[in-house]
Amino acid sequence: NQATGYLNVNLIPDLLNFYLDQRFAPSLDTREVWAMALLPYDVYLKAGKMFLPYGMQIQNDNAFIRGGRNGSATTGFSFNVSQPAFELGWEPGPVASAFAVSQGASADTDVQFSGTVSAMFTDLPVVRNVWVGSSGSVANSSDTETSWFGFFAGSNLERLTYQAEVDIGHLSFPDSTTDTTVAGGTFIFYTEANYLFFDWLNTKVAFNYADYDGSLPRQGSDGENYFAIGVEPFLARFVQVRAFYTVGNGVETEPSHNQDLWSLELHVFF
């Protein structure tokens, strides 16, 4: 149900890049369009419409740490949400950092600050690689405050690759009916394990958990989870199929949060 095209042009080699991420179905939407200047000392500067730097940014937008599913709890950082922004990054070897100042909510005059710092340690004993990082985001207005803090990590053991992310969110806003400030928090956890059975076949198991604590009105349950298992074969070097079965567990009053789903994806890389 989605078709997306990507274009990257080196306008000035090793100095200036132009990037376009265009969705053609189910709707026509420019997800990302930005220019990036490569500066000395491994620094870059991006300007345009872009995805904000937060979390592991896995490709599964249904995960609670991304866009969620069926109105579930979510961080709101996904490949379906982008904002006009400036991003400053620094990538000196194993360390990578990115910080963005963005428009925030479309009807708001205040800005949103987001950032991620991570490090990849390679050629370690027993495990090949260890990846650790942390993210944060704050968006405040005159009467509303939204903040997120997250931590993620991953590693390898032979053909097994595993990673996880934890996010804690806080939201508060005034309630005109009671003349008080309403506040609540959200805890979200995601973990996955991948095993490369063959050089062309990856298997994945993923678990999502979200718990909401507070009196804020939102669609969904106070606690919910879903489990996914699937295969990701490369049929050819540039063609990958993904087939997954997902089991959702939410409260009984939200039937869409208790659906078992089959999904099939086809990815073609040029």
Side-chain angles (χ1 to χ4, degrees), residues 200-258:
W200 57 272
L201 178 61
N202 180 63
T203 57
K204 184 191 298 288
V205 176
F207 177 75
N208 292 250
Y209 176 78
D211 184 43
Y212 177 77
D213 181 21
S215 55
L216 294 176
R218 75 165 179 85
Q219 181 183 358
S221 63
D222 287 347
E224 52 191 321
N225 64 80
Y226 83 81
F227 172 84
I229 184 171
V231 294
E232 298 174 323
F234 269 96
L235 303 182
R237 176 173 294 185
F238 305 110
V239 180
Q240 185 189 45
V241 175
R242 294 175 181 156
F244 279 88
Y245 177 65
T246 303
V247 179
N249 297 288
V251 295
E252 294 181 358
T253 55
E254 293 290 344
S256 64
H257 291 209
N258 293 275

Side-chain angles (χ1 to χ4, degrees), residues 12 19 30 54 65 67 70 83 91 124-125 138 148 167 174 177 193 213 269:
I12 304 177
Y19 180 77
T30 301
Y54 186 95
I65 63 170
N70 299 324
Q83 296 182 13
E91 298 182 343
L124 299 177
V138 177
W148 283 96
D167 294 293
T177 59
D213 181 21
F269 303 90

Side-chain angles (χ1 to χ4, degrees), residues 83-185:
Q83 296 182 13
F86 292 96
E87 178 179 311
L88 180 66
W90 183 47
E91 298 182 343
V95 178
S97 59
F99 301 93
V101 179
S102 60
Q103 172 184 279
S106 58
D108 198 348
T109 58
D110 295 275
V111 297
Q112 182 173 351
F113 299 91
S114 306
T116 293
V117 177
S118 63
M120 173 70 80
F121 304 98
T122 61
D123 299 325
L124 299 177
V126 183
V127 295
R128 295 196 310 273
N129 308 307
V130 172
W131 178 50
V132 294
S134 183
S135 299
S137 178
V138 177
N140 295 335
S141 65
S142 58
D143 55 3
T144 303
E145 175 184 347
T146 304
S147 61
W148 283 96
F149 174 77
F151 174 80
F152 53 89
S155 185
N156 306 92
L157 184 62
E158 297 297 334
R159 287 177 171 261
L160 178 66
T161 301
Y162 42 91
Q163 60 185 12
E165 178 175 328
V166 174
D167 294 293
I168 299 174
H170 175 78
L171 174 62
S172 63
F173 65 88
D175 186 348
S176 58
T177 59
T178 60
D179 198 25
T180 59
T181 298
V182 180

